[in-house]
Amino acid sequence: QVQLVESGGGLVQAGGSLRLSCVASGRTFSTYGMGWFRQAPGKEREFAAAISPWNGGDTSYADSVKGRFTISRDNARNTAYLQMTSLKPEDTAVYYCAARKIGFTEFEYWGQGTQVTVPS
């Protein structure tokens, strides 16, 4: 069982930056692939970014955030990050951290979410 706690959300002007953090419980963090998803008001939750287990050598991004967001991990701190730059009003959403075991396609564990608001 993995528990995930996000932090770092807030209100930021368009063009600004934020860094989200996701701290995981347990001693096997490095064996989990990590992901960030987001859900805007009235819309379905969508994928934003993912990083592979262990050294995080493989990353993937939604087209909407590619080039602006960077996912990373620090296994010593049991933490995954999402660095967001050049933020736009359409990035406004609740951002969720998720974890999946090695070899699994679906993300099994989810955090409670953190709100990011970029006023127009």
Side-chain angles (χ1 to χ4, degrees), residues 19-105:
R19 188 178 77 160
L20 305 183
S21 299
C22 171
V23 178
S25 63
R27 296 177 290 179
T28 59
F29 175 74
S30 61
T31 66
Y32 287 84
M34 301 299 296
W36 286 95
F37 292 74
R38 65 186 186 180
Q39 185 167 20
K43 296 186 177 181
E44 294 187 353
R45 187 166 57 191
E46 65 176 11
F47 168 78
I51 189 166
S52 58
W54 303 115
N55 65 0
D58 291 326
T59 58
S60 60
Y61 297 92
D63 288 344
S64 58
V65 308
K66 196 173 296 182
R68 300 187 299 121
F69 290 10
T70 302
I71 188 171
S72 61
R73 66 188 301 152
D74 183 341
N75 292 334
R77 297 180 184 275
N78 274 24
T79 303
Y81 302 98
L82 186 67
Q83 179 69 50
M84 306 185 293
T85 63
S86 301
L87 283 162
K88 306 174 182 180
E90 50 264 44
D91 294 318
T92 294
V94 177
Y95 283 72
Y96 296 91
C97 173
R100 61 184 173 188
K101 297 176 184 176
I102 290 177
F104 281 63
T105 302

